[in-house]
Amino acid sequence: MSKRNVSLSVFFKILFGNITNSVLFGFGVVSMAFSFLFIVITSLVVISTNSKNNKDYDDYDVSLILEKGIEVNANVVAIDTIKNIKINERNPLVVVYNYEKDGEWITDRFKTIDHIKTQELFEDGNVPVKYYNGESVIIGLDRYSGIGHIFLFINFGLILWSFLLLYLGGGKPFKTYNLYKTGIVKEAEIDTIVLFPNKGIRVTYHYDLTDGYVAYGNGFSKDYLLLNKESGDKVKIFVDRKKESNSVLVPSYIIIH
């Protein structure tokens, strides 16, 4: 399928011809730029936070340990507070515990944000744990995995919102632009021509489809030579190759050979 050489500036000409589309598209561009800036900032924050607080036990494969690990009781030695991080007014906690394996006592740690369950564990003095391949986790206690996932959801939401704005603002102009590049040139019969001051000329028209039916269309044009035409005269249109009922007027600035 051959395409006409229509510059990208034509797309922006179509876009800025409609104030609603241009505003939505503009907000989408700004929102997308803010999203990428937010990604950079939050990535630096997460990297900085992780470099200060992440330990070896943060990299344990919890699901693998719970699936294949051996369950034993462990003694709670201490509960430490990570003071430089706060989530919903709560600081993450590090539960320090030890358990016996093959006659040797192993000390390990588990990070969590669940203060209530952690306090209960501390009062009981021992906790059920599973260990596997030199790593262990506390059973029944959710592990705190950092703030990275929170920023991930925010970033994902911002990017989706940006794409939505870009689509709402640029979707219809892009379809028109694509018809300018790939549409089939046909002649349509004019039904009405109405002049709207400061906006242009609105033309309604109809044309025959290949299956024998008739399709109707309309569009605005800045080509004031159209005022010399009247109902029943012919006007050139671009018709979608895949869906004949979609069409647009051929603008005066596109030369058809």
Side-chain angles (χ1 to χ4, degrees):
M1 179 180 65
S2 60
K3 293 185 178 182
R4 297 178 192 86
N5 185 20
V6 182
S7 68
L8 188 61
S9 62
V10 173
F11 166 75
F12 291 103
K13 185 181 182 71
I14 302 168
L15 175 67
F16 295 128
N18 183 290
I19 185 65
T20 301
N21 289 338
S22 58
V23 169
L24 287 172
F25 192 84
F27 275 123
V29 172
V30 172
S31 179
M32 185 64 74
F34 176 78
S35 298
F36 283 114
L37 179 62
F38 189 74
I39 288 173
V40 172
I41 294 174
T42 54
S43 297
L44 293 175
V45 170
V46 170
I47 292 172
S48 175
T49 302
N50 288 346
S51 64
K52 293 179 181 179
N53 298 290
N54 273 23
K55 307 299 180 182
D56 291 340
Y57 53 83
D58 288 310
D59 297 325
Y60 288 176
D61 189 336
V62 175
S63 59
L64 181 64
I65 298 171
L66 291 175
E67 178 186 353
K68 297 185 176 182
I70 299 173
E71 182 175 344
V72 295
N73 281 328
N75 300 317
V76 177
V77 177
I79 298 178
D80 300 326
T81 301
I82 301 177
K83 296 182 179 180
N84 64 335
I85 299 177
K86 185 171 287 188
I87 306 295
N88 293 330
E89 300 302 319
R90 294 182 300 173
N91 299 96
L93 303 173
V94 178
V95 181
V96 184
Y97 58 91
N98 55 40
Y99 60 93
E100 187 177 7
K101 176 189 175 185
D102 300 329
E104 179 183 358
W105 285 94
I106 308 295
T107 299
D108 211 342
R109 290 166 173 78
F110 188 87
K111 192 181 294 183
T112 184
I113 197 72
D114 193 334
H115 284 227
I116 297 177
K117 284 189 177 181
T118 303
Q119 185 62 34
E120 292 174 354
L121 294 175
F122 189 76
E123 291 174 354
D124 292 341
N126 60 76
V127 293
V129 302
K130 276 191 174 184
Y131 67 86
Y132 177 76
N133 198 25
E135 301 175 354
S136 67
V137 296
I138 296 176
I139 300 173
L141 195 60
D142 293 331
R143 185 175 73 168
Y144 170 74
S145 56
I147 58 177
H149 65 286
I150 298 175
F151 289 139
L152 179 63
F153 286 127
I154 295 174
N155 288 330
F156 185 70
L158 285 173
I159 291 175
L160 278 182
W161 174 248
S162 301
F163 275 119
L164 177 62
L165 290 174
L166 290 173
Y167 174 77
L168 292 176
K172 189 174 181 180
F174 182 78
K175 288 180 180 178
T176 301
Y177 173 71
N178 193 52
L179 275 178
Y180 287 176
K181 291 175 68 72
T182 64
I184 300 172
V185 180
K186 283 191 174 184
E187 281 195 336
E189 185 174 319
I190 296 174
D191 294 321
T192 61
I193 296 179
V194 181
L195 174 63
F196 287 83
N198 302 321
K199 189 172 183 180
I201 303 167
R202 185 175 187 270
V203 181
T204 62
Y205 54 85
H206 67 272
Y207 57 98
D208 296 327
L209 302 178
T210 54
D211 59 7
Y213 287 92
V214 176
Y216 294 86
N218 65 83
F220 275 90
S221 174
K222 295 288 186 179
D223 183 7
Y224 289 96
L225 292 176
L226 287 172
L227 292 174
N228 296 325
K229 294 181 178 290
E230 57 185 24
S231 178
D233 287 344
K234 300 295 184 179
V235 65
K236 290 189 180 298
I237 60 173
F238 287 132
V239 176
D240 195 322
R241 294 174 182 270
K242 296 181 179 179
K243 190 176 181 181
E244 282 186 288
S245 58
N246 291 340
S247 65
V248 293
L249 292 170
V250 175
S252 58
Y253 49 81
I254 293 183
I255 307 300
I256 301 173
H257 300 287

